[in-house]
Amino acid sequence: MTIIVTGGAGFIGGNFIYYQLKHYPQDRIVCLDSLTYAGNLKTLEGAMKSDHFCFVKCDVADREAVFALFEEEKPDIVVNFAAESHVDRSVENPEIFLKTNIMGTQVLMDACRKYGILRFHQVGTDEVYGDLPLDRPDLFFSEDSPLHTSSPYSASKAAADLLVLAYSRTFGLPVSITRCSNNYGPYHFPEKLIPLIITRALADESLPVYGTGENIRDWLYVEDHCSAIDLVMRKGREGEVYNIGAHNERNNLQVVKTILSALGKPESLIRFVKDRPGHDRRYAIDPTKIQNELGWEAQTDFDTGIRKTVQWYLDHQSWWKEILAGDYRDYYAQMYANR
Ligand code: NAD
Ligand code: TYD
């Protein structure tokens, strides 16, 4: 079996490639990634050693290049992780989100239609459902919750999901979609909350918490996300959406304090800063469908996952220090200057 993994030089895609190489050593994995600021070949150093892996630098929205790759590889499965993924960047510059997240998904599916495919799997997000109120802990997102997006990022992901379902219905393309809550774990780019806090706390730098820190996210250890995607793309029903979450809800302040305690750093590093515009209050996933149909359950609770993640960042300082020393420095200065 040949599997094209798009966006595999990023956080979740990279973890997914290691998951596939470990569990299906007979399969061939082709990583297609344009190496934006979030793509990092260092993440794939271990995979590069395998004869069953190859990397192709390519933009998912580049029709000619994508078609040429499909012509050569004739993939059985395509898993689409490639995306602009950071909400704050989508507030600054929405356009690239539309190009990559929507048009890129369309180009990939057009290639799947032309060359034939067993499954096109779209990696989606719970952010397409919008947010839930903080005072209704009884509410959760199900697959039938209405799409109700808040940011240009989530709007672009919702548009992509709708296009995927349209290609299923109109053209009979064998697709599936997973919508996952916030991930954390190894190789997470340090602009996102958890790696940002770990890396800044290690340097005794101030820790920016938006607003009051009461916003809630439903955290999932990345390896659990990989096992869920793997199950759905191989055994999930065609044309279906599956929500993925582990009922690990924490507000941002709790997350930051858990990390500080794991690192033995003081809470005085916390600095409350101006809130994100349109900031979603709470995400919470109901994962009953994937549990009942496919028997999936998350294996990692939040405290264990955070400990493993903190340890990974301690053990892989060169991976993130190189990022912090590059263009990311200007990004941080620019994004947090007026907060
Ligand atoms: P990431 O930003 O870490 O990685 C994205 C990868 O896509 C990078 O390697 C980048 O180089 C590549 N890429 C971007 N534009 C591209 C293009 N035009 N052509 C080819 N490659 C391109 O993102 P992530 O956190 O790993 O997220 C992966 C997917 O999972 C995304 O689709 C995201 O919407 C979804 N998701 C993420 C989370 C999360 O918590 N991180 C939660 C739910 C869903
Ligand atoms: P983030 O990791 O950007 O993921 P998302 O916005 O997709 O959920 O942010 C997670 C939460 O942390 C979100 O409520 C915003 C908040 N946050 C901060 O408080 N400070 C920060 O510096 C960042 C990046 C995020």
Side-chain angles (χ1 to χ4, degrees), residues 86 127 182 191 193 196 208 210 217 252 276 279 336:
H86 191 36
E127 300 194 27
N182 287 60
E191 68 184 352
L193 180 70
L196 179 104
Y210 297 167
R217 298 294 184 261
N252 294 337
R276 169 188 283 172
H279 196 173
Y336 290 83

Side-chain angles (χ1 to χ4, degrees), residues 6-14 32-40 58-61 80-86 96 99-101 122-127 153 157 179-184 187-189 191-192 219 225:
T6 73
F11 165 45
I12 310 175
L32 179 168
D33 197 300
S34 64
L35 297 179
T36 67
Y37 78 94
N40 189 345
C58 173
D59 186 329
V60 282
N80 185 24
F81 291 93
E84 289 292 334
S85 70
H86 191 36
I96 184 69
K99 183 164 179 246
T100 293
N101 300 1
Q122 175 74 356
V123 180
T125 167
D126 62 354
E127 300 194 27
Y153 163 68
K157 292 294 288 183
R179 292 183 181 144
C180 187
S181 55
N182 287 60
N183 283 218
Y184 66 105
Y187 302 115
H188 204 178
F189 195 82
E191 68 184 352
K192 303 283 174 68
W219 294 97
H225 188 191

Side-chain angles (χ1 to χ4, degrees), residues 304-320:
T304 310
I306 280 288
R307 269 204 309 280
K308 282 164 85 166
T309 304
V310 164
Q311 195 56 49
W312 189 87
Y313 279 83
L314 284 169
D315 294 343
H316 295 81
Q317 304 211 15
S318 65
W319 182 86
W320 53 267

Side-chain angles (χ1 to χ4, degrees), residues 103-333:
M103 303 302 289
T105 302
Q106 187 213 355
V107 167
L108 289 170
M109 290 194 296
D110 284 344
C112 290
R113 283 185 67 205
K114 174 159 184 198
Y115 293 100
I117 198 84
L118 292 176
R119 180 61 62 94
F120 174 81
H121 183 79
Q122 175 74 356
V123 180
T125 167
D126 62 354
E127 300 194 27
V128 298
Y129 300 121
D131 63 351
L132 296 164
L134 292 176
D135 59 358
R136 289 293 308 274
D138 54 312
L139 296 180
F140 297 90
F141 298 133
S142 78
E143 289 79 0
D144 296 325
S145 299
L147 302 188
H148 193 263
T149 55
S150 311
S151 69
Y153 163 68
S154 55
S156 70
K157 292 294 288 183
D161 281 8
L162 291 176
L163 204 56
V164 171
L165 296 174
Y167 269 58
S168 162
R169 170 103 187 229
T170 305
F171 304 119
L173 195 71
V175 304
S176 45
I177 298 176
T178 42
R179 292 183 181 144
C180 187
S181 55
N182 287 60
N183 283 218
Y184 66 105
Y187 302 115
H188 204 178
F189 195 82
E191 68 184 352
K192 303 283 174 68
L193 180 70
I194 287 181
L196 179 104
I197 297 300
I198 297 173
T199 53
R200 288 185 66 83
L202 279 171
D204 296 311
E205 289 170 331
S206 67
L207 309 177
V209 172
Y210 297 167
T212 57
E214 286 166 309
N215 303 62
I216 293 174
R217 298 294 184 261
D218 185 358
W219 294 97
L220 183 73
Y221 193 62
V222 64
E223 200 179 341
D224 285 325
H225 188 191
C226 293
S227 70
I229 293 171
D230 178 60
L231 256 184
V232 172
M233 78 181 197
R234 290 173 191 268
K235 300 196 176 125
R237 284 186 291 138
E238 268 180 44
E240 290 290 319
V241 175
Y242 294 86
N243 282 354
I244 307 173
H247 288 303
N248 276 318
E249 286 179 55
R250 298 285 188 285
N251 74 33
N252 294 337
L253 206 50
Q254 288 171 314
V255 170
V256 172
K257 287 182 177 174
T258 307
I259 294 169
L260 287 173
S261 144
L263 289 171
K265 296 284 182 179
E267 291 183 8
S268 55
L269 289 174
I270 294 172
R271 188 163 63 89
F272 291 97
V273 300
K274 198 167 119 201
D275 211 349
R276 169 188 283 172
H279 196 173
D280 280 337
R281 292 161 296 175
R282 171 175 170 250
Y283 303 142
I285 283 269
D286 173 3
T288 308
K289 179 172 172 180
I290 187 170
Q291 281 168 359
N292 288 350
E293 279 191 23
L294 298 170
W296 176 85
E297 273 199 32
Q299 301 297 314
T300 313
D301 65 55
F302 187 70
D303 290 333
T304 310
I306 280 288
R307 269 204 309 280
K308 282 164 85 166
T309 304
V310 164
Q311 195 56 49
W312 189 87
Y313 279 83
L314 284 169
D315 294 343
H316 295 81
Q317 304 211 15
S318 65
W319 182 86
W320 53 267
K321 281 188 172 159
E322 261 181 51
I323 295 172
L324 296 191
D327 292 347
Y328 179 77
R329 263 160 50 151
D330 300 336
Y331 167 85
Y332 190 87

Side-chain angles (χ1 to χ4, degrees), residues 27 42 63 111 152 163 229 305:
D27 286 348
K42 283 248 150 62
R63 184 170 289 269
L163 204 56
I229 293 171

